[in-house]
Amino acid sequence: MSDRVVLPRLDLPGQKTHWAVVAVIGGGVLVLLMAAIFLVVVHKQQAAQEAAARAVEARAKEAAAQVEKMRLEAAAAEKAKAAAAAAEKAKPTGPVAAGNDANKAGVAGSSAADGDSGKAGQKKKGHKAGHKAGRANIPKLGGGEPSEATKKSDASVDALLRGLK
Protein backbone atom coordinates (compact mmCIF):
# COMPACT_ATOMS: atom_id res chain seq x y z
CA MET A 1 0.00 0.00 0.00
CA SER A 2 2.80 2.16 -0.14
CA ASP A 3 2.26 2.65 -3.86
CA ARG A 4 0.28 5.63 -4.74
CA VAL A 5 -2.60 5.21 -6.96
CA VAL A 6 -2.82 7.77 -9.71
CA LEU A 7 -6.34 8.38 -10.89
CA PRO A 8 -6.94 9.69 -14.38
CA ARG A 9 -8.17 13.27 -14.68
CA LEU A 10 -11.77 13.38 -15.82
CA ASP A 11 -13.35 16.47 -17.38
CA LEU A 12 -17.03 16.35 -16.86
CA PRO A 13 -18.99 18.47 -19.38
CA GLY A 14 -21.38 19.91 -16.76
CA GLN A 15 -18.70 21.85 -14.87
CA LYS A 16 -18.18 24.71 -17.40
CA THR A 17 -20.76 27.03 -18.95
CA HIS A 18 -21.14 26.39 -22.62
CA TRP A 19 -19.97 29.20 -24.90
CA ALA A 20 -23.42 29.48 -26.61
CA VAL A 21 -25.09 30.19 -23.24
CA VAL A 22 -22.54 32.92 -22.52
CA ALA A 23 -23.23 34.45 -25.97
CA VAL A 24 -27.03 34.44 -25.43
CA ILE A 25 -26.73 36.08 -21.99
CA GLY A 26 -24.31 38.70 -23.36
CA GLY A 27 -26.66 39.47 -26.28
CA GLY A 28 -29.59 39.88 -23.90
CA VAL A 29 -27.66 42.31 -21.71
CA LEU A 30 -26.64 44.26 -24.81
CA VAL A 31 -30.27 44.48 -26.02
CA LEU A 32 -31.45 45.69 -22.59
CA LEU A 33 -28.70 48.32 -22.53
CA MET A 34 -29.66 49.58 -26.00
CA ALA A 35 -33.36 49.71 -25.00
CA ALA A 36 -32.52 51.77 -21.91
CA ILE A 37 -30.46 54.23 -24.00
CA PHE A 38 -33.30 54.47 -26.54
CA LEU A 39 -35.87 55.23 -23.82
CA VAL A 40 -33.65 57.96 -22.32
CA VAL A 41 -33.20 59.63 -25.72
CA VAL A 42 -36.93 59.47 -26.51
CA HIS A 43 -37.80 60.90 -23.08
CA LYS A 44 -35.40 63.83 -23.58
CA GLN A 45 -36.86 64.58 -27.02
CA GLN A 46 -40.43 64.50 -25.70
CA ALA A 47 -39.49 66.81 -22.83
CA ALA A 48 -37.86 69.24 -25.28
CA GLN A 49 -40.95 69.18 -27.55
CA GLU A 50 -43.30 69.79 -24.62
CA ALA A 51 -41.12 72.67 -23.39
CA ALA A 52 -41.13 74.20 -26.89
CA ALA A 53 -44.92 73.83 -27.10
CA ARG A 54 -45.33 75.49 -23.69
CA ALA A 55 -43.04 78.33 -24.80
CA VAL A 56 -45.07 78.86 -27.99
CA GLU A 57 -48.32 78.83 -25.99
CA ALA A 58 -46.87 81.32 -23.52
CA ARG A 59 -45.77 83.60 -26.38
CA ALA A 60 -49.20 83.31 -27.99
CA LYS A 61 -50.95 84.16 -24.70
CA GLU A 62 -48.60 87.10 -24.15
CA ALA A 63 -49.20 88.36 -27.69
CA ALA A 64 -52.96 87.96 -27.27
CA ALA A 65 -52.80 89.88 -23.99
CA GLN A 66 -50.80 92.66 -25.67
CA VAL A 67 -53.27 92.78 -28.55
CA GLU A 68 -56.20 92.96 -26.15
CA LYS A 69 -54.46 95.69 -24.16
CA MET A 70 -53.78 97.68 -27.32
CA ARG A 71 -57.36 97.13 -28.47
CA LEU A 72 -58.71 98.41 -25.14
CA GLU A 73 -56.38 101.42 -25.27
CA ALA A 74 -57.46 102.15 -28.84
CA ALA A 75 -61.12 101.85 -27.86
CA ALA A 76 -60.58 104.15 -24.89
CA ALA A 77 -58.76 106.66 -27.09
CA GLU A 78 -61.54 106.49 -29.68
CA LYS A 79 -64.19 106.87 -26.97
CA ALA A 80 -62.33 109.88 -25.57
CA LYS A 81 -62.06 111.35 -29.07
CA ALA A 82 -65.80 110.85 -29.63
CA ALA A 83 -66.58 112.37 -26.23
CA ALA A 84 -64.37 115.37 -27.04
CA ALA A 85 -66.11 115.81 -30.39
CA ALA A 86 -69.53 115.54 -28.72
CA ALA A 87 -68.49 118.04 -26.07
CA GLU A 88 -67.27 120.40 -28.80
CA LYS A 89 -70.63 120.15 -30.57
CA ALA A 90 -72.59 120.61 -27.34
CA LYS A 91 -70.46 123.51 -26.14
CA PRO A 92 -72.65 126.66 -25.82
CA THR A 93 -71.61 129.51 -28.13
CA GLY A 94 -72.14 132.84 -26.37
CA PRO A 95 -75.26 134.60 -25.05
CA VAL A 96 -77.71 132.87 -27.41
CA ALA A 97 -77.16 129.54 -25.70
CA ALA A 98 -77.49 131.10 -22.26
CA GLY A 99 -80.86 132.60 -23.24
CA ASN A 100 -81.91 129.25 -24.67
CA ASP A 101 -81.18 127.53 -21.33
CA ALA A 102 -83.24 130.19 -19.54
CA ASN A 103 -86.13 129.60 -21.95
CA LYS A 104 -86.05 125.87 -21.26
CA ALA A 105 -86.06 126.48 -17.52
CA GLY A 106 -88.98 128.94 -17.89
CA VAL A 107 -91.04 126.44 -19.89
CA ALA A 108 -90.46 123.71 -17.32
CA GLY A 109 -91.35 126.10 -14.47
CA SER A 110 -94.55 127.29 -16.15
CA SER A 111 -95.93 123.81 -16.71
CA ALA A 112 -95.30 122.91 -13.08
CA ALA A 113 -96.93 126.17 -12.00
CA ASP A 114 -100.07 125.41 -14.04
CA GLY A 115 -100.87 122.57 -11.67
CA ASP A 116 -100.24 119.58 -13.89
CA SER A 117 -97.42 117.15 -13.37
CA GLY A 118 -95.48 118.41 -16.35
CA LYS A 119 -96.07 115.25 -18.33
CA ALA A 120 -99.62 115.81 -19.55
CA GLY A 121 -98.88 118.32 -22.28
CA GLN A 122 -95.56 116.88 -23.42
CA LYS A 123 -94.89 114.23 -25.98
CA LYS A 124 -93.07 111.18 -24.79
CA LYS A 125 -89.52 111.11 -26.00
CA GLY A 126 -87.82 107.87 -26.96
CA HIS A 127 -84.68 106.76 -25.23
CA LYS A 128 -81.52 107.86 -26.95
CA ALA A 129 -78.77 105.30 -26.65
CA GLY A 130 -75.73 106.52 -24.80
CA HIS A 131 -77.38 109.53 -23.14
CA LYS A 132 -78.54 109.60 -19.55
CA ALA A 133 -80.96 112.19 -18.27
CA GLY A 134 -79.45 114.82 -16.01
CA ARG A 135 -75.82 114.19 -17.00
CA ALA A 136 -73.82 116.54 -19.10
CA ASN A 137 -71.36 115.09 -21.56
CA ILE A 138 -68.01 115.64 -19.93
CA PRO A 139 -65.01 115.08 -22.20
CA LYS A 140 -62.35 112.71 -20.97
CA LEU A 141 -58.79 113.87 -20.60
CA GLY A 142 -56.25 112.79 -23.18
CA GLY A 143 -58.69 112.58 -26.11
CA GLY A 144 -57.86 113.30 -29.72
CA GLU A 145 -55.37 111.68 -32.04
CA PRO A 146 -53.55 108.56 -30.85
CA SER A 147 -49.95 109.26 -29.99
CA GLU A 148 -47.01 108.18 -32.14
CA ALA A 149 -46.10 105.54 -29.54
CA THR A 150 -49.56 104.00 -29.84
CA LYS A 151 -49.36 103.99 -33.63
CA LYS A 152 -45.92 102.41 -33.51
CA SER A 153 -47.01 99.74 -31.03
CA ASP A 154 -50.09 98.96 -33.16
CA ALA A 155 -47.80 98.36 -36.13
CA SER A 156 -45.52 96.13 -34.06
CA VAL A 157 -48.50 94.14 -32.76
CA ASP A 158 -49.77 93.67 -36.31
CA ALA A 159 -46.34 92.42 -37.38
CA LEU A 160 -46.25 90.05 -34.41
CA LEU A 161 -49.66 88.64 -35.28
CA ARG A 162 -48.64 88.14 -38.90
CA GLY A 163 -45.62 86.20 -37.66
CA LEU A 164 -47.81 83.84 -35.58
CA LYS A 165 -49.86 82.80 -38.62
Side-chain angles (χ1 to χ4, degrees):
M1 284 217 119
S2 69
D3 290 336
R4 290 184 147 186
V5 178
V6 178
L7 296 172
R9 185 172 177 158
L10 299 173
D11 286 333
L12 298 175
Q15 289 178 346
K16 288 185 184 178
T17 306
H18 195 271
W19 65 270
V21 174
V22 171
V24 168
I25 292 173
V29 168
L30 184 64
V31 167
L32 288 175
L33 183 65
M34 287 173 42
I37 292 171
F38 176 75
L39 289 175
V40 167
V41 169
V42 167
H43 178 69
K44 283 185 178 182
Q45 283 183 340
Q46 282 181 339
Q49 285 177 346
E50 289 172 1
R54 282 192 302 267
V56 167
E57 287 177 11
R59 281 184 48 210
K61 284 181 182 179
E62 183 179 328
Q66 286 179 350
V67 167
E68 188 63 27
K69 181 180 175 184
M70 293 296 176
R71 191 174 290 151
L72 289 175
E73 288 176 359
E78 194 169 312
K79 189 182 266 187
K81 184 178 179 181
E88 190 66 32
K89 279 185 178 180
K91 185 184 267 188
T93 56
V96 175
N100 192 12
D101 288 341
N103 288 338
K104 286 181 183 176
V107 170
S110 67
S111 66
D114 292 340
D116 63 2
S117 66
K119 294 182 182 178
Q122 296 179 356
K123 293 182 182 178
K124 290 188 177 182
K125 293 183 180 180
H127 175 69
K128 291 184 181 180
H131 296 294
K132 293 188 177 182
R135 279 187 74 180
N137 287 336
I138 301 172
K140 293 183 180 179
L141 296 177
E145 287 289 320
S147 67
E148 290 297 321
T150 305
K151 289 180 183 177
K152 186 181 285 185
S153 63
D154 287 345
S156 64
V157 169
D158 290 340
L160 179 67
L161 289 176
R162 274 188 248 116
L164 290 176
K165 289 182 183 178

